[in-house]
Amino acid sequence: MEPTIACVVPCHNEEAAVGKVVRDLRAALPEAVVYVYDNASTDRTAELAREAGAIVRHETRKGKGNVIRRAFADVDADALLIVDGDDTYDVSRARDLVDLLFDGPYDQVVGARRVVTDGAYRAGHAVGNKVLTGAVRSLFGNDVTDMLSGYRVFSRRFVKSFPALAREFETETEMTIHALHLRLPTAEVPVDYRVRPAGGESKLRTYRDGWRILRVILDLARRERPSLVHTVIAGVLALVSVILGIPVIADFVRTGTVPRVPTAILAAAIMTIAALVLLVGYILESLTHMRQEQTRLVHLAYPAPVRAPRYTARGAGTGPVPVRKTAGGP
């Protein structure tokens, strides 16, 4: 039985590019079903996508994360590809990404962006991507080069074990951390990234969305690495307690009395709070471990992706695919 492949294209006011993206996907993956999720567009996005041959569905709650949450619940396929509808990614490489997913087998293949035209990647976005990717690598480990790429292919078991809680552009961060924390086999493939076509407008806001993504990283660190976060907080509190307590102890050693009783009480109280914070961190770490076990069992309930048969399609890659193995790669 041939594996099923689905493509999901989130769109908000992408009439300038969505038709070409759908046609390129159908050329690269003729056996795939292409879904365009119209995310509260006010232009002809849905109409042009339907004319190009896509199945159009509507998600009225704005935000890419809301689209991914809906699509992952609705679409059932052995391989699910997502790509932005703005025609900035080289969609002709879709065959390479899908084949690699099955050949691995991997649970996620990421199209790592390689800028080929001037102006495709704003300076603020480039710096922000490096900073946020570095933060994730420091907190969760492993070698991730393009955490915010919107061009990815997932196995069925990734999709069905992924909680999809994000609402907007932070969804890629959530996907990356999900794969890293569960040590799911992942690979990266360099893909061309170009400037938007005339008439297209980026929905990403450098500072607003960068701050939102950073908040997601910190929140996920709190939930996924509670012992680390609580140890840092407890350490800071303990340091404050020691700084306050050293003069009190010095007075006691020198005079045998405690003249600064309020300071002594404050130092002792802060140290007690630090101990409680550390204890809570270890308790939360145990709960997190149990939750990870449950997520892992859901992941294992689905079979690994099987090798896809080879197709010859216009625009599909024919040579060997450069691969960068990351989380849990074989």
Side-chain angles (χ1 to χ4, degrees), residues 156-174:
R156 184 195 303 270
R157 59 186 185 179
F158 183 107
V159 170
K160 298 309 178 184
S161 65
F162 178 62
L165 301 177
R167 288 180 169 83
E168 296 192 22
F169 285 103
E170 64 270 23
T171 186
E172 286 93 355
T173 303
E174 196 177 40

Side-chain angles (χ1 to χ4, degrees), residues 56-271:
V56 177
R57 291 178 175 171
H58 300 273
E59 173 54 57
T60 57
R61 289 170 294 189
K62 290 185 65 174
K64 186 176 181 179
N66 289 321
V67 171
I68 296 300
R69 180 184 179 92
R70 166 84 179 277
F72 277 19
D74 292 350
V75 179
D76 189 57
D78 295 308
L80 192 151
L81 180 146
I82 64 168
V83 65
D84 294 342
D86 55 8
D87 195 33
T88 53
Y89 294 93
D90 183 7
V91 177
S92 68
R93 298 292 305 280
R95 168 63 58 198
D96 291 334
L97 272 67
V98 171
D99 280 349
L100 181 58
L101 181 88
F102 288 114
D103 291 344
Y106 294 101
D107 282 312
Q108 177 182 225
V109 176
V110 180
R113 290 170 288 186
R114 178 177 56 198
V115 177
V116 294
T117 57
D118 294 335
Y121 218 168
R122 281 187 269 170
H125 291 179
V127 172
N129 191 18
K130 290 180 180 179
V131 170
L132 295 172
T133 300
V136 167
R137 292 171 65 174
S138 299
L139 288 169
F140 297 96
N142 221 295
D143 192 8
V144 180
T145 62
D146 192 2
M147 181 187 72
L148 302 181
S149 173
Y151 192 12
R152 303 174 184 234
V153 184
F154 305 100
S155 67
R156 184 195 303 270
R157 59 186 185 179
F158 183 107
V159 170
K160 298 309 178 184
S161 65
F162 178 62
L165 301 177
R167 288 180 169 83
E168 296 192 22
F169 285 103
E170 64 270 23
T171 186
E172 286 93 355
T173 303
E174 196 177 40
M175 293 169 181
T176 300
I177 294 176
H178 177 74
L180 288 173
H181 211 49
L182 289 183
R183 290 172 291 175
L184 303 182
T186 298
E188 291 183 346
V189 175
V191 295
D192 292 347
Y193 187 72
R194 53 183 176 257
V195 69
R196 281 171 166 266
E201 179 185 356
S202 175
K203 315 304 183 300
L204 184 65
R205 298 295 177 261
T206 303
Y207 297 106
R208 186 201 66 178
D209 292 311
W211 171 243
R212 186 188 298 273
I213 292 168
L214 181 59
R215 283 193 309 171
V216 168
I217 293 172
L218 295 176
D219 185 58
L220 286 170
R222 178 182 59 82
R223 290 192 282 116
E224 304 294 342
R225 299 288 304 278
S227 63
L228 173 63
V229 173
H230 283 251
T231 297
V232 171
I233 296 173
V236 172
L237 291 173
L239 180 62
V240 172
S241 175
V242 169
I243 291 173
L244 291 174
I246 285 177
V248 176
I249 295 173
D251 288 343
F252 179 78
V253 171
R254 188 175 63 256
T255 65
T257 62
V258 182
R260 288 184 279 188
V261 175
T263 302
I265 294 174
L266 179 61
I270 293 176
M271 185 62 75

